[in-house]
Amino acid sequence: MIRPRLGWSLPRVFAHRCGGALAPENTLSGLRIAAMLGVRAVEFDVMLSADGSPWLIHDETLERTTDGCGRVCETRDDRLGVLDAGAYQHPSFAGETLPSLESAARLCRKLGLLVNVEIKPAAGLAATTGEQVARQVRELWAGTDLPLVSSFSEVALAAAREAAPDLPLGSLFERPPADWLARANQVAALSLHCDAYALDDSVLSAAWASDMPVLCYTVNDPLTAAALFRRGVTAVFSDRIDRVGRVGLD
Ligand code: G3P
Ligand code: MG
C-alpha cells in the first residue's frame, strides 16, 4: 500500500491539546495562544457525540474538563455546545466552550496552523469514530494542507484509511511493540508517534530505515527536546510551548 504523504514539512514542535498548559486543553483559546507564540502546528483530540459529531475533548467523560457530567458519546450536540470547558483550568477562561471539529478547523485554517488530529474513540466506537473523523477532516480541510491523523486505536485508523484513502495517517503507541512497523504499514501510516520516554534507539533506527518520521509526546523541557532531536526524533508534542517552542523555531 502506498503511504499518502503530508503536503507540509513537519515542524519540530506541536502544541499538545491545542495550546498545551497555557490554556484549557482542546479549546479555541489554546489554538490562539499557540499561534500567538509562533508555534506552527497543534495536536488535538477528537471524539464523537451521541449525534455522531466530532468534538475536541480528551476524556471519554465530561467531568474533568467541563462543567458537564457523563459520557461524551452519550451527550447530544446541543448539550455539548453550551458546556463550559474553560473554568476548570482558571476562572479567567470561564465561558470558553467545547469546540466542534468544524469550529477548530475554521480557526486553524484562519490562523495558518498545521494540525495533527488524534482520533479518540469511546469504548466500542472505534470504527465509527475513525470513519466519521476521517470524512470530516477530508471535507473541512478540502483544498488546503490536510492534517496528519493519528490514533492509539488501530481499528479507528483502519476505518479512517478506508473512508479517506489519501489521508496522511500516524500510528500512535505508548511504547512501540516489536511489530510496530508491520502494524503501521497495514494502514499505510507515514509516521510513528510514541511516548518520548518509551523510545528505544532500535525503534528509531527502524523508523529511519523505513523513511518514517518519529514524533514524541509529551516533552515539556527544552533540553529533553533538544536531546530527542539529536537522537533523530523529528518532532515533539509539548504542553510548554512557551519553553519548548523556542527549540523548534527554525
Ligand atoms: O497524540 C499524542 C498525545 O496527545 C497522546 O496522548 O493522552 O495526550 O492524547 P494524549
Ligand atoms: Mg492527544
Side-chain angles (χ1 to χ4, degrees):
M1 210 188 305
I2 295 173
R3 291 181 204 155
R5 308 305 303 181
L6 269 184
W8 38 285
S9 57
L10 286 166
R12 284 299 202 190
V13 178
F14 284 72
H16 184 228
R17 304 185 191 176
C18 286
L22 306 184
E25 65 182 52
N26 290 316
T27 61
L28 299 186
S29 283
L31 296 178
R32 291 193 189 93
I33 284 172
M36 271 192 299
L37 288 179
V39 172
R40 287 177 53 218
V42 296
E43 180 264 4
F44 50 72
D45 307 299
V46 175
M47 192 175 294
L48 298 185
S49 68
D51 294 303
S53 315
W55 292 80
L56 271 60
I57 189 159
H58 180 274
D59 296 4
E60 274 199 47
T61 50
L62 293 162
E63 282 82 349
R64 183 177 62 86
T65 57
T66 78
D67 60 350
C69 59
R71 297 182 78 201
V72 178
C73 68
E74 291 172 355
T75 308
R76 307 292 302 256
D77 291 342
D78 54 359
R79 176 77 191 123
L80 289 176
V82 296
L83 293 179
D84 187 309
Y88 86 92
Q89 199 201 44
H90 192 273
S92 62
F93 287 109
E96 180 83 38
T97 53
L98 207 61
S100 63
L101 180 59
E102 186 179 353
S103 62
R106 204 178 309 121
L107 186 57
C108 286
R109 292 186 62 160
K110 184 174 158 201
L111 297 174
L113 287 168
L114 302 165
V115 178
N116 173 202
V117 172
E118 186 194 330
I119 306 171
K120 280 275 192 230
L125 293 175
T128 314
T129 310
E131 181 190 335
Q132 283 307 321
V133 173
R135 278 191 207 292
Q136 295 247 357
V137 163
R138 201 65 200 73
E139 278 174 32
L140 294 167
W141 275 270
T144 187
D145 288 330
L146 281 176
L148 174 58
V149 174
S150 60
S151 187
F152 285 109
S153 165
E154 288 165 298
V155 173
L157 285 179
R161 169 59 67 234
E162 183 143 344
D166 62 344
L167 205 58
L169 296 184
S171 277
L172 175 55
F173 300 97
E174 198 171 312
R175 176 180 294 277
D179 60 349
W180 71 267
L181 185 55
R183 288 157 74 162
N185 283 338
Q186 264 196 339
V187 292
L190 70 85
S191 52
L192 168 68
H193 306 208
C194 67
D195 186 330
Y197 301 96
L199 177 64
D200 296 334
D201 283 335
S202 60
V203 170
L204 263 174
S205 305
W208 275 104
S210 295
D211 194 22
M212 197 174 274
V214 177
L215 290 73
C216 287
Y217 66 91
T218 306
V219 181
N220 296 332
D221 164 48
L223 291 178
T224 306
L228 287 164
F229 297 149
R230 276 197 302 275
R231 283 175 65 199
V233 167
T234 297
V236 296
F237 301 97
S238 183
D239 287 327
R240 291 304 305 267
I241 47 175
D242 51 328
R243 293 194 297 176
V244 175
R246 306 301 314 173
V247 183
L249 292 179
D250 299 321

PDB file of all heavy atoms in Angstrom, residues 12-42:
ATOM      1  N   ARG A  12       9.258  21.139  14.257  1.00  0.00           N
ATOM      2  CA  ARG A  12       9.859  20.495  15.427  1.00  0.00           C
ATOM      3  C   ARG A  12       8.878  20.332  16.587  1.00  0.00           C
ATOM      4  O   ARG A  12       8.983  19.385  17.367  1.00  0.00           O
ATOM      5  CB  ARG A  12      11.054  21.320  15.915  1.00  0.00           C
ATOM      6  CG  ARG A  12      12.288  21.181  15.061  1.00  0.00           C
ATOM      7  CD  ARG A  12      12.759  19.751  15.041  1.00  0.00           C
ATOM      8  NE  ARG A  12      14.162  19.625  14.690  1.00  0.00           N
ATOM      9  CZ  ARG A  12      14.749  18.469  14.416  1.00  0.00           C
ATOM     10  NH1 ARG A  12      14.040  17.341  14.412  1.00  0.00           N
ATOM     11  NH2 ARG A  12      16.014  18.415  14.132  1.00  0.00           N
ATOM     12  N   VAL A  13       7.948  21.294  16.716  1.00  0.00           N
ATOM     13  CA  VAL A  13       7.098  21.301  17.913  1.00  0.00           C
ATOM     14  C   VAL A  13       5.618  21.423  17.542  1.00  0.00           C
ATOM     15  O   VAL A  13       5.240  22.283  16.744  1.00  0.00           O
ATOM     16  CB  VAL A  13       7.490  22.463  18.857  1.00  0.00           C
ATOM     17  CG1 VAL A  13       6.581  22.500  20.078  1.00  0.00           C
ATOM     18  CG2 VAL A  13       8.948  22.332  19.294  1.00  0.00           C
ATOM     19  N   PHE A  14       4.819  20.540  18.148  1.00  0.00           N
ATOM     20  CA  PHE A  14       3.364  20.635  18.082  1.00  0.00           C
ATOM     21  C   PHE A  14       2.868  21.052  19.465  1.00  0.00           C
ATOM     22  O   PHE A  14       3.261  20.449  20.469  1.00  0.00           O
ATOM     23  CB  PHE A  14       2.721  19.273  17.780  1.00  0.00           C
ATOM     24  CG  PHE A  14       2.821  18.833  16.351  1.00  0.00           C
ATOM     25  CD1 PHE A  14       4.037  18.414  15.816  1.00  0.00           C
ATOM     26  CD2 PHE A  14       1.695  18.805  15.538  1.00  0.00           C
ATOM     27  CE1 PHE A  14       4.126  17.988  14.491  1.00  0.00           C
ATOM     28  CE2 PHE A  14       1.775  18.381  14.223  1.00  0.00           C
ATOM     29  CZ  PHE A  14       2.987  17.977  13.696  1.00  0.00           C
ATOM     30  N   ALA A  15       2.006  22.047  19.529  1.00  0.00           N
ATOM     31  CA  ALA A  15       1.347  22.353  20.795  1.00  0.00           C
ATOM     32  C   ALA A  15       0.385  21.208  21.097  1.00  0.00           C
ATOM     33  O   ALA A  15      -0.428  20.830  20.256  1.00  0.00           O
ATOM     34  CB  ALA A  15       0.595  23.671  20.688  1.00  0.00           C
ATOM     35  N   HIS A  16       0.518  20.653  22.298  1.00  0.00           N
ATOM     36  CA  HIS A  16      -0.260  19.474  22.698  1.00  0.00           C
ATOM     37  C   HIS A  16      -1.644  19.889  23.192  1.00  0.00           C
ATOM     38  O   HIS A  16      -1.749  20.805  24.005  1.00  0.00           O
ATOM     39  CB  HIS A  16       0.533  18.758  23.808  1.00  0.00           C
ATOM     40  CG  HIS A  16      -0.048  17.483  24.279  1.00  0.00           C
ATOM     41  ND1 HIS A  16      -0.211  17.192  25.615  1.00  0.00           N
ATOM     42  CD2 HIS A  16      -0.498  16.397  23.606  1.00  0.00           C
ATOM     43  CE1 HIS A  16      -0.710  15.978  25.741  1.00  0.00           C
ATOM     44  NE2 HIS A  16      -0.901  15.467  24.538  1.00  0.00           N
ATOM     45  N   ARG A  17      -2.687  19.257  22.722  1.00  0.00           N
ATOM     46  CA  ARG A  17      -4.076  19.558  23.106  1.00  0.00           C
ATOM     47  C   ARG A  17      -4.391  21.035  22.849  1.00  0.00           C
ATOM     48  O   ARG A  17      -4.939  21.727  23.708  1.00  0.00           O
ATOM     49  CB  ARG A  17      -4.357  19.155  24.552  1.00  0.00           C
ATOM     50  CG  ARG A  17      -4.064  17.688  24.828  1.00  0.00           C
ATOM     51  CD  ARG A  17      -4.459  17.252  26.232  1.00  0.00           C
ATOM     52  NE  ARG A  17      -3.934  15.924  26.524  1.00  0.00           N
ATOM     53  CZ  ARG A  17      -4.041  15.298  27.686  1.00  0.00           C
ATOM     54  NH1 ARG A  17      -4.660  15.886  28.689  1.00  0.00           N
ATOM     55  NH2 ARG A  17      -3.525  14.098  27.859  1.00  0.00           N
ATOM     56  N   CYS A  18      -3.983  21.540  21.729  1.00  0.00           N
ATOM     57  CA  CYS A  18      -4.214  22.909  21.222  1.00  0.00           C
ATOM     58  C   CYS A  18      -3.155  23.899  21.712  1.00  0.00           C
ATOM     59  O   CYS A  18      -2.351  24.378  20.932  1.00  0.00           O
ATOM     60  CB  CYS A  18      -5.603  23.453  21.537  1.00  0.00           C
ATOM     61  SG  CYS A  18      -6.895  22.714  20.542  1.00  0.00           S
ATOM     62  N   GLY A  19      -3.198  24.267  22.986  1.00  0.00           N
ATOM     63  CA  GLY A  19      -2.260  25.279  23.477  1.00  0.00           C
ATOM     64  C   GLY A  19      -1.435  24.781  24.635  1.00  0.00           C
ATOM     65  O   GLY A  19      -0.876  25.577  25.398  1.00  0.00           O
ATOM     66  N   GLY A  20      -1.361  23.470  24.800  1.00  0.00           N
ATOM     67  CA  GLY A  20      -0.611  22.921  25.918  1.00  0.00           C
ATOM     68  C   GLY A  20      -1.209  23.366  27.239  1.00  0.00           C
ATOM     69  O   GLY A  20      -2.430  23.453  27.392  1.00  0.00           O
ATOM     70  N   ALA A  21      -0.326  23.675  28.192  1.00  0.00           N
ATOM     71  CA  ALA A  21      -0.772  24.033  29.540  1.00  0.00           C
ATOM     72  C   ALA A  21      -1.123  25.515  29.663  1.00  0.00           C
ATOM     73  O   ALA A  21      -1.487  25.977  30.736  1.00  0.00           O
ATOM     74  CB  ALA A  21       0.324  23.677  30.544  1.00  0.00           C
ATOM     75  N   LEU A  22      -1.012  26.255  28.571  1.00  0.00           N
ATOM     76  CA  LEU A  22      -1.215  27.703  28.670  1.00  0.00           C
ATOM     77  C   LEU A  22      -2.672  28.111  28.499  1.00  0.00           C
ATOM     78  O   LEU A  22      -3.009  29.289  28.583  1.00  0.00           O
ATOM     79  CB  LEU A  22      -0.351  28.415  27.622  1.00  0.00           C
ATOM     80  CG  LEU A  22       1.135  28.061  27.662  1.00  0.00           C
ATOM     81  CD1 LEU A  22       1.903  28.890  26.652  1.00  0.00           C
ATOM     82  CD2 LEU A  22       1.707  28.280  29.060  1.00  0.00           C
ATOM     83  N   ALA A  23      -3.517  27.143  28.218  1.00  0.00           N
ATOM     84  CA  ALA A  23      -4.947  27.405  28.045  1.00  0.00           C
ATOM     85  C   ALA A  23      -5.676  26.129  28.421  1.00  0.00           C
ATOM     86  O   ALA A  23      -5.056  25.066  28.513  1.00  0.00           O
ATOM     87  CB  ALA A  23      -5.223  27.771  26.577  1.00  0.00           C
ATOM     88  N   PRO A  24      -6.987  26.208  28.613  1.00  0.00           N
ATOM     89  CA  PRO A  24      -7.721  24.949  28.827  1.00  0.00           C
ATOM     90  C   PRO A  24      -7.476  24.025  27.627  1.00  0.00           C
ATOM     91  O   PRO A  24      -7.418  24.499  26.482  1.00  0.00           O
ATOM     92  CB  PRO A  24      -9.188  25.397  28.888  1.00  0.00           C
ATOM     93  CG  PRO A  24      -9.165  26.866  29.053  1.00  0.00           C
ATOM     94  CD  PRO A  24      -7.861  27.383  28.572  1.00  0.00           C
ATOM     95  N   GLU A  25      -7.311  22.740  27.912  1.00  0.00           N
ATOM     96  CA  GLU A  25      -6.925  21.827  26.826  1.00  0.00           C
ATOM     97  C   GLU A  25      -8.039  21.676  25.785  1.00  0.00           C
ATOM     98  O   GLU A  25      -9.220  21.762  26.099  1.00  0.00           O
ATOM     99  CB  GLU A  25      -6.548  20.459  27.396  1.00  0.00           C
ATOM    100  CG  GLU A  25      -7.687  19.726  28.057  1.00  0.00           C
ATOM    101  CD  GLU A  25      -7.221  18.394  28.653  1.00  0.00           C
ATOM    102  OE1 GLU A  25      -6.233  18.384  29.418  1.00  0.00           O
ATOM    103  OE2 GLU A  25      -7.869  17.374  28.360  1.00  0.00           O
ATOM    104  N   ASN A  26      -7.609  21.457  24.555  1.00  0.00           N
ATOM    105  CA  ASN A  26      -8.545  21.224  23.437  1.00  0.00           C
ATOM    106  C   ASN A  26      -9.584  22.340  23.302  1.00  0.00           C
ATOM    107  O   ASN A  26     -10.792  22.077  23.190  1.00  0.00           O
ATOM    108  CB  ASN A  26      -9.227  19.861  23.594  1.00  0.00           C
ATOM    109  CG  ASN A  26      -8.248  18.706  23.362  1.00  0.00           C
ATOM    110  OD1 ASN A  26      -7.448  18.736  22.421  1.00  0.00           O
ATOM    111  ND2 ASN A  26      -8.281  17.701  24.219  1.00  0.00           N
ATOM    112  N   THR A  27      -9.109  23.597  23.345  1.00  0.00           N
ATOM    113  CA  THR A  27     -10.028  24.732  23.170  1.00  0.00           C
ATOM    114  C   THR A  27      -9.511  25.706  22.099  1.00  0.00           C
ATOM    115  O   THR A  27      -8.327  25.686  21.747  1.00  0.00           O
ATOM    116  CB  THR A  27     -10.201  25.547  24.474  1.00  0.00           C
ATOM    117  OG1 THR A  27      -8.918  26.078  24.858  1.00  0.00           O
ATOM    118  CG2 THR A  27     -10.790  24.705  25.592  1.00  0.00           C
ATOM    119  N   LEU A  28     -10.415  26.574  21.654  1.00  0.00           N
ATOM    120  CA  LEU A  28     -10.024  27.581  20.660  1.00  0.00           C
ATOM    121  C   LEU A  28      -9.044  28.582  21.266  1.00  0.00           C
ATOM    122  O   LEU A  28      -8.166  29.085  20.561  1.00  0.00           O
ATOM    123  CB  LEU A  28     -11.267  28.299  20.124  1.00  0.00           C
ATOM    124  CG  LEU A  28     -12.312  27.418  19.415  1.00  0.00           C
ATOM    125  CD1 LEU A  28     -13.426  28.282  18.814  1.00  0.00           C
ATOM    126  CD2 LEU A  28     -11.689  26.539  18.334  1.00  0.00           C
ATOM    127  N   SER A  29      -9.159  28.854  22.562  1.00  0.00           N
ATOM    128  CA  SER A  29      -8.169  29.737  23.214  1.00  0.00           C
ATOM    129  C   SER A  29      -6.780  29.147  23.082  1.00  0.00           C
ATOM    130  O   SER A  29      -5.795  29.866  22.866  1.00  0.00           O
ATOM    131  CB  SER A  29      -8.472  29.908  24.705  1.00  0.00           C
ATOM    132  OG  SER A  29      -9.522  30.798  24.887  1.00  0.00           O
ATOM    133  N   GLY A  30      -6.689  27.843  23.229  1.00  0.00           N
ATOM    134  CA  GLY A  30      -5.396  27.167  23.073  1.00  0.00           C
ATOM    135  C   GLY A  30      -4.839  27.369  21.672  1.00  0.00           C
ATOM    136  O   GLY A  30      -3.632  27.624  21.500  1.00  0.00           O
ATOM    137  N   LEU A  31      -5.681  27.260  20.674  1.00  0.00           N
ATOM    138  CA  LEU A  31      -5.206  27.467  19.286  1.00  0.00           C
ATOM    139  C   LEU A  31      -4.686  28.894  19.106  1.00  0.00           C
ATOM    140  O   LEU A  31      -3.642  29.117  18.477  1.00  0.00           O
ATOM    141  CB  LEU A  31      -6.351  27.218  18.293  1.00  0.00           C
ATOM    142  CG  LEU A  31      -6.918  25.794  18.246  1.00  0.00           C
ATOM    143  CD1 LEU A  31      -8.079  25.719  17.253  1.00  0.00           C
ATOM    144  CD2 LEU A  31      -5.832  24.789  17.867  1.00  0.00           C
ATOM    145  N   ARG A  32      -5.413  29.864  19.689  1.00  0.00           N
ATOM    146  CA  ARG A  32      -4.988  31.273  19.539  1.00  0.00           C
ATOM    147  C   ARG A  32      -3.652  31.506  20.235  1.00  0.00           C
ATOM    148  O   ARG A  32      -2.775  32.197  19.708  1.00  0.00           O
ATOM    149  CB  ARG A  32      -6.061  32.210  20.111  1.00  0.00           C
ATOM    150  CG  ARG A  32      -7.319  32.221  19.286  1.00  0.00           C
ATOM    151  CD  ARG A  32      -8.260  33.365  19.661  1.00  0.00           C
ATOM    152  NE  ARG A  32      -9.526  33.188  18.974  1.00  0.00           N
ATOM    153  CZ  ARG A  32     -10.589  32.547  19.513  1.00  0.00           C
ATOM    154  NH1 ARG A  32     -10.537  32.102  20.753  1.00  0.00           N
ATOM    155  NH2 ARG A  32     -11.689  32.394  18.802  1.00  0.00           N
ATOM    156  N   ILE A  33      -3.485  30.931  21.402  1.00  0.00           N
ATOM    157  CA  ILE A  33      -2.231  31.114  22.146  1.00  0.00           C
ATOM    158  C   ILE A  33      -1.070  30.460  21.390  1.00  0.00           C
ATOM    159  O   ILE A  33       0.015  31.043  21.268  1.00  0.00           O
ATOM    160  CB  ILE A  33      -2.377  30.560  23.583  1.00  0.00           C
ATOM    161  CG1 ILE A  33      -3.210  31.551  24.398  1.00  0.00           C
ATOM    162  CG2 ILE A  33      -1.020  30.318  24.243  1.00  0.00           C
ATOM    163  CD1 ILE A  33      -3.615  31.077  25.768  1.00  0.00           C
ATOM    164  N   ALA A  34      -1.300  29.275  20.848  1.00  0.00           N
ATOM    165  CA  ALA A  34      -0.239  28.609  20.064  1.00  0.00           C
ATOM    166  C   ALA A  34       0.173  29.493  18.895  1.00  0.00           C
ATOM    167  O   ALA A  34       1.374  29.702  18.648  1.00  0.00           O
ATOM    168  CB  ALA A  34      -0.730  27.252  19.567  1.00  0.00           C
ATOM    169  N   ALA A  35      -0.804  30.032  18.202  1.00  0.00           N
ATOM    170  CA  ALA A  35      -0.478  30.882  17.040  1.00  0.00           C
ATOM    171  C   ALA A  35       0.256  32.145  17.487  1.00  0.00           C
ATOM    172  O   ALA A  35       1.231  32.565  16.857  1.00  0.00           O
ATOM    173  CB  ALA A  35      -1.754  31.237  16.288  1.00  0.00           C
ATOM    174  N   MET A  36      -0.192  32.730  18.607  1.00  0.00           N
ATOM    175  CA  MET A  36       0.457  33.955  19.103  1.00  0.00           C
ATOM    176  C   MET A  36       1.915  33.716  19.468  1.00  0.00           C
ATOM    177  O   MET A  36       2.754  34.586  19.313  1.00  0.00           O
ATOM    178  CB  MET A  36      -0.283  34.480  20.334  1.00  0.00           C
ATOM    179  CG  MET A  36      -1.392  35.437  19.983  1.00  0.00           C
ATOM    180  SD  MET A  36      -2.019  36.289  21.418  1.00  0.00           S
ATOM    181  CE  MET A  36      -2.625  34.986  22.436  1.00  0.00           C
ATOM    182  N   LEU A  37       2.212  32.508  19.970  1.00  0.00           N
ATOM    183  CA  LEU A  37       3.594  32.183  20.365  1.00  0.00           C
ATOM    184  C   LEU A  37       4.453  31.758  19.168  1.00  0.00           C
ATOM    185  O   LEU A  37       5.628  31.434  19.332  1.00  0.00           O
ATOM    186  CB  LEU A  37       3.603  31.084  21.429  1.00  0.00           C
ATOM    187  CG  LEU A  37       3.115  31.504  22.819  1.00  0.00           C
ATOM    188  CD1 LEU A  37       3.148  30.323  23.775  1.00  0.00           C
ATOM    189  CD2 LEU A  37       3.961  32.645  23.376  1.00  0.00           C
ATOM    190  N   GLY A  38       3.865  31.726  18.006  1.00  0.00           N
ATOM    191  CA  GLY A  38       4.645  31.397  16.814  1.00  0.00           C
ATOM    192  C   GLY A  38       4.816  29.917  16.566  1.00  0.00           C
ATOM    193  O   GLY A  38       5.631  29.500  15.747  1.00  0.00           O
ATOM    194  N   VAL A  39       4.024  29.093  17.284  1.00  0.00           N
ATOM    195  CA  VAL A  39       4.073  27.646  17.048  1.00  0.00           C
ATOM    196  C   VAL A  39       3.311  27.369  15.742  1.00  0.00           C
ATOM    197  O   VAL A  39       2.225  27.897  15.532  1.00  0.00           O
ATOM    198  CB  VAL A  39       3.427  26.893  18.236  1.00  0.00           C
ATOM    199  CG1 VAL A  39       3.285  25.413  17.948  1.00  0.00           C
ATOM    200  CG2 VAL A  39       4.260  27.109  19.490  1.00  0.00           C
ATOM    201  N   ARG A  40       3.891  26.554  14.876  1.00  0.00           N
ATOM    202  CA  ARG A  40       3.277  26.339  13.557  1.00  0.00           C
ATOM    203  C   ARG A  40       2.240  25.234  13.546  1.00  0.00           C
ATOM    204  O   ARG A  40       1.432  25.152  12.621  1.00  0.00           O
ATOM    205  CB  ARG A  40       4.357  25.986  12.524  1.00  0.00           C
ATOM    206  CG  ARG A  40       5.247  27.142  12.104  1.00  0.00           C
ATOM    207  CD  ARG A  40       6.317  26.647  11.123  1.00  0.00           C
ATOM    208  NE  ARG A  40       5.717  25.923  10.014  1.00  0.00           N
ATOM    209  CZ  ARG A  40       6.255  24.834   9.451  1.00  0.00           C
ATOM    210  NH1 ARG A  40       7.383  24.345   9.881  1.00  0.00           N
ATOM    211  NH2 ARG A  40       5.655  24.240   8.431  1.00  0.00           N
ATOM    212  N   ALA A  41       2.299  24.332  14.539  1.00  0.00           N
ATOM    213  CA  ALA A  41       1.432  23.155  14.456  1.00  0.00           C
ATOM    214  C   ALA A  41       0.837  22.808  15.818  1.00  0.00           C
ATOM    215  O   ALA A  41       1.455  23.053  16.861  1.00  0.00           O
ATOM    216  CB  ALA A  41       2.232  21.959  13.936  1.00  0.00           C
ATOM    217  N   VAL A  42      -0.351  22.228  15.783  1.00  0.00           N
ATOM    218  CA  VAL A  42      -1.040  21.840  17.009  1.00  0.00           C
ATOM    219  C   VAL A  42      -1.550  20.405  16.880  1.00  0.00           C
ATOM    220  O   VAL A  42      -1.819  19.932  15.777  1.00  0.00           O
ATOM    221  CB  VAL A  42      -2.253  22.761  17.304  1.00  0.00           C
ATOM    222  CG1 VAL A  42      -1.810  24.183  17.566  1.00  0.00           C
ATOM    223  CG2 VAL A  42      -3.269  22.719  16.171  1.00  0.00           C
TER     224      VAL A  42
END
